[in-house]
Amino acid sequence: METSTREYLQKALSKNEFISYIAESNGEAISISGMVLFQRPPYLENLHGVEAYILNMYTIPEFRGKGLAKRMLKKCIDESRNSGVKRIWLHASKDGKHLYKKMGFTTKDSEMELFL
């Protein structure tokens, strides 16, 4: 798994198909996010088919409640807008749903989504 992930990230990062943000404190990662950009066939709400999937949003428990996840999510949304993304989607944890709703995501089946 580690080798496959490393190979994927090397390729995807070089093509700007995977974007990650990391917040650090004293040289240690305390909050992270990842986002995959991809092209799918067009549909009515997204005629260009460009989408983003947010994953691996995590903040170390002792740093929660300081706005780090919100800043990470905002960076993902801003990058999506700059990249022509029309739909961002994710699978939210119970703890994350409140933040995503505050940022405009809506629930659809087991996913949450935001159209830009």
Side-chain angles (χ1 to χ4, degrees), residues 31-116:
S31 187
I32 62 169
S33 69
M35 182 172 67
V36 179
L37 301 173
F38 62 96
Q39 181 82 35
R40 62 181 283 179
Y43 52 98
L44 287 178
E45 294 87 357
N46 187 355
L47 295 177
H48 296 288
V50 182
E51 293 192 356
Y53 179 72
I54 294 176
L55 68 161
N56 299 337
M57 291 276 298
Y58 182 77
T59 301
I60 292 175
E62 57 265 29
F63 290 93
R64 292 180 184 166
K66 301 179 186 312
L68 292 170
K70 182 177 182 179
R71 288 192 299 191
M72 295 282 179
L73 184 56
K74 183 158 177 15
K75 288 277 225 187
C76 289
I77 292 169
D78 290 346
E79 180 63 35
S80 293
R81 277 196 180 98
N82 292 338
S83 298
V85 168
K86 293 298 176 201
R87 179 181 181 244
I88 304 171
W89 57 288
L90 54 86
H91 289 89
S93 68
K94 187 179 101 179
D95 292 337
K97 280 189 177 185
H98 179 70
L99 170 63
Y100 301 127
K101 283 184 180 183
K102 273 178 55 175
M103 297 294 287
F105 285 77
T106 58
T107 302
K108 179 183 175 189
D109 300 323
S110 66
E111 304 170 351
M112 293 185 82
E113 65 183 1
L114 173 70
F115 281 93
L116 302 178

